[in-house]
Amino acid sequence: MSAFTGTGRLARLALRRDRIRLGIWILGTPLLGYALAASVAGLYPDEAARHGYATTSASSLVARAFNGPIAGTDLGAVVVAETYATLAVLVALLSTFAVVRHTRQNEETGRAELLGASVVGRYALLTAALLVVVGANLLAAALLAVALAGAGLPLAGSVAAAAAIGGVGMAFTGVAAVTAQLTVTSRGANALAAAAVGLSFLLRAAGDVFGDVEAGGTRVESAWPSWLTPLGWGNQVRAYTGDRWWTLALPIALLAAAVVLAYALAQRRDLGAGLVAARRGPARAATWLLSPAGLAWRLQRGTLLGWAVGVGILGVSMGVAADEFNAMIAENPAAAEAIAAMGGGADLVDAFLAAMLGLYALAIGAYVVQALLRVRADEADGVLEAVLATGVSRSRWLGTQVGAAVLGATALLLFGGITTGLGYGLVDGDPVGKALALGGAAALRLPALLVVAGVVTALFGLLPRWSVVLSWAALMAFLLLGQLGAVLELPQAALDLSPYTHVPSVPAVDPTALPLLVLAAVAAALLATGVAAFRHRDVPR
C-alpha cells in the first residue's frame, strides 16, 4: 500500500464537509475584491486624484505600513494599494484554518484514527487537505481576476493581482501543513499559523516603511525585509505597473518546501501526537475554574489577549494617521465625500475617526462570533454533554458564554477607542482628553455587537448544524452593508439590515439614545430566542 493511498476519497470527503465554507470563500473573495475595486475607482476617477493619493501614500509611513507600497499613479496601482492587504490577510487565514481543520482537528477528534483503520496511507490525510485548499486558492484567484477585470481594470494586471493573492494563500497553506505537525491541538496549530501571518505582516510593513520613495514621490521600492515574507512577495508582483511574473515563483517554492518538511515531520510522530510536547498543567486546578464563568475566562483569555494586542497597535497607528488625514485627501473631493459618508459628519478628521471606530466594531464582531461559536464546537465534540451532566443548567452555561464574549468585546472596544485617542492626542497635544472622548465614542458601538451576539446565539439555538456558516455569513453581510454600502450607494433599506448602520457616528455627529435602545431591544430578543431554543432541543444536535 502506498503512503498516498486513499487521498482521492479523503479529498472528496473534505469537499463534502466544507462545501458551504469553500463556496463562501471561493465566491466571497472575488465579490469582496470587486466591491473594493469599484469603490476605489469611484474615489480616484482621474489622474489628478490618483497622483495626489500616490504622493501622500508614498510620504505617509502609516499608509505604507498598513496598505503597502504604492507602485504608481495608474488606477490599478491605487486599487492594489487599497485592497491587497485586506484580501491577502483574509486568504492567508482562511487557508491556514482549512488545512488545520482537515489535518490536526481530525486527529484531535479521533476521526483520523477511524479513517486510518481503513485502507489509507500515512500521507493521505495531509495530501487531501493540501489538494483541497490549494484548489480553493486557485479557483478563488481565477474568479478574482475576472472580478477585477469586470471592475474596469486591465486584464493582464488583474491576473497578476489575483495570482499574487492566490500565491499568498498557497504559501500559508504550506505553513499550516507544518504547524499541524507540531502541536497536539487544532487551537495550537491555528495559533502558530496565525502568528506566522502576523510576523509576515510585520516584516512586510517594516520593509515598506524603510523603503525608498522613487519616481517623483509616487512610487515606493520596498526594503529587504519585504522580500522575506509571502505578504511582501505579493506586493513585489507590481500588478498593473510592471507585472513581475517571476515573483510568483517564490510562494510556490515555499509551498513545495513546506510540504516536503510537513511529510518529513509526519513520518517522525505518532498519530494524534505533536512534535512539541504538550505542557503539563498544575496538579491542582484553581478554585475559580470550578464555575462556568471561570472556565470561560480560562478558555478565552489567550484569544482576548491576542485581539487586544492587534487592536492596540491598530488604534495607535490610526490615531497618529488622523493628523495626516487632511493632507491625504486635500486634493481628492471624492475621497472626502466617501469618508464623510462612512463617518457621517462634515468635519473630515472626526469623520475619519468615526469611520475607524466603526471598522474596529466590525472587526471585534469577528471576535464575538469566534468566541460564541466555541459553544457549537463544545457541543459537536461532546464536551457540552459532560458539562451539563453536572449541576450546571443549560441557561446558566449558555448565558455565561454569551456574557464572557460580550465582556471581552466591550473591553476591546474601549481599548481600541482609548488607544486611538492616545495616538491622536499625542500629535494633537491632548492625549488624556482625546483618549477619554474616543473611548466613550467607541463604547456607543456596543449595542451593534450585542446584536451580533444575539444573531449567533439564536442560530446556535435554532439551527446548530448551520450556525457556524450562517454566523460568519451574517457578519460578512454586516461588513458589506455597514461600511461599503454607503460608498456603493446601496438603497437605504439594504443598509438598514446591518446593526452598524444605526449606531451614531460619534465623534462626527452627536449621540442619540433611541437607535441604541432599539438595537439593545433587538439583541435582547435574539438572545432570549437562542437561550429558549437551546433549552428545548436535543444535545448534541
Side-chain angles (χ1 to χ4, degrees), residues 84 88-89 92 163-175 196-201 203-204 225-237 247-248 250-255:
Y84 170 78
V89 172
I165 300 294
V168 171
M170 286 191 283
F172 282 102
T173 296
V175 171
V197 176
L199 178 61
S200 179
F201 186 90
L203 285 172
R204 196 277 310 154
S226 288
W227 290 93
L228 302 177
T229 161
L231 290 176
W233 299 338
N235 273 325
Q236 302 314 315
V237 173
T247 312
L248 297 173
L250 296 175
I252 303 302
L254 176 58
L255 172 63

Side-chain angles (χ1 to χ4, degrees), residues 405-499:
V406 170
L407 286 176
T410 304
L412 291 175
L413 267 179
L414 290 173
F415 190 53
I418 289 171
T419 53
T420 302
L422 284 174
Y424 183 40
L426 288 173
V427 178
D428 191 60
D430 183 20
V432 176
K434 297 297 184 184
L436 292 176
L438 290 181
L444 295 177
R445 272 75 179 174
L446 181 59
L449 291 177
L450 291 177
V451 173
V452 174
V455 169
V456 179
T457 305
L459 289 171
F460 171 70
L462 296 169
L463 301 168
R465 293 183 61 186
W466 294 87
S467 58
V468 175
V469 172
L470 293 179
S471 295
W472 287 114
L475 184 66
M476 183 62 68
F478 294 160
L479 166 65
L480 295 176
L481 294 173
Q483 291 300 314
L484 297 179
V487 176
L488 298 176
E489 300 180 350
L490 296 178
Q492 188 61 41
L495 300 181
D496 289 340
L497 295 175
S498 170

Side-chain angles (χ1 to χ4, degrees), residues 35 37 50-51 97 118 207 279 295 439 465 521:
R50 294 194 292 272
H51 187 275
F97 293 158
S118 62
R279 186 179 63 179
L295 180 59
R465 293 183 61 186

Side-chain angles (χ1 to χ4, degrees), residues 40 44 46-59 64 67-82 153 212-222 235-244 332:
V40 171
Y44 306 98
D46 52 44
E47 179 66 24
R50 294 194 292 272
H51 187 275
Y53 172 87
T55 53
T56 53
S57 295
S59 62
R64 284 154 61 178
N67 291 345
I70 185 69
T73 59
D74 293 347
L75 176 60
V78 175
V79 168
V80 168
E82 285 288 289
L153 299 174
D212 297 324
V213 180
E214 301 175 351
T218 61
R219 180 186 177 96
V220 175
E221 189 63 40
S222 303
N235 273 325
Q236 302 314 315
V237 173
R238 298 296 189 186
Y240 303 107
T241 58
D243 300 336
R244 297 174 179 169
N332 194 344

Side-chain angles (χ1 to χ4, degrees), residues 99-362:
V99 172
V100 172
R101 171 176 167 78
H102 291 292
T103 52
R104 174 52 60 182
Q105 188 183 85
N106 279 342
E107 296 188 41
E108 187 180 12
T109 58
R111 284 191 292 263
E113 191 170 5
L114 285 175
L115 294 171
S118 62
V119 184
V120 174
R122 186 176 187 85
Y123 300 144
L125 192 67
L126 175 59
T127 306
L130 291 172
L131 289 174
V132 168
V133 178
V134 169
N137 275 295
L138 290 173
L139 187 53
L143 293 177
L144 178 60
V146 174
L148 293 176
L153 299 174
L155 179 59
S158 298
V159 173
I165 300 294
V168 171
M170 286 191 283
F172 282 102
T173 296
V175 171
V178 174
T179 63
Q181 313 306 315
L182 300 179
T183 69
V184 295
T185 65
S186 58
R187 190 172 301 147
N190 279 326
L192 288 176
V197 176
L199 178 61
S200 179
F201 186 90
L202 291 176
L203 285 172
R204 196 277 310 154
D208 295 334
V209 166
F210 294 112
D212 297 324
V213 180
E214 301 175 351
T218 61
R219 180 186 177 96
V220 175
E221 189 63 40
S222 303
W224 61 268
S226 288
W227 290 93
L228 302 177
T229 161
L231 290 176
W233 299 338
N235 273 325
Q236 302 314 315
V237 173
R238 298 296 189 186
Y240 303 107
T241 58
D243 300 336
R244 297 174 179 169
W245 298 99
W246 64 269
T247 312
L248 297 173
L250 296 175
I252 303 302
L254 176 58
L255 172 63
V259 168
V260 171
L261 177 60
Y263 284 147
L265 295 178
Q267 182 67 33
R268 294 175 177 272
R269 66 177 182 86
D270 292 332
L271 184 67
L275 292 177
V276 178
R279 186 179 63 179
R280 291 183 176 272
R284 294 181 179 273
T287 56
W288 53 267
L289 280 174
L290 296 176
S291 67
L295 180 59
W297 162 246
R298 175 64 180 83
L299 293 175
Q300 294 188 19
R301 65 183 183 183
T303 302
L304 183 61
L305 177 61
W307 273 88
V309 172
V311 168
I313 294 173
L314 185 63
V316 173
S317 302
M318 291 299 100
V320 173
D323 187 61
E324 304 177 358
F325 184 67
N326 277 327
M328 291 179 68
I329 65 170
E331 301 179 13
N332 194 344
E337 182 180 351
I339 289 295
M342 292 175 62
D347 185 283
L348 289 180
V349 173
D350 284 344
F352 172 78
L353 292 172
M356 291 303 102
L357 294 180
L359 288 174
Y360 299 164
L362 274 168

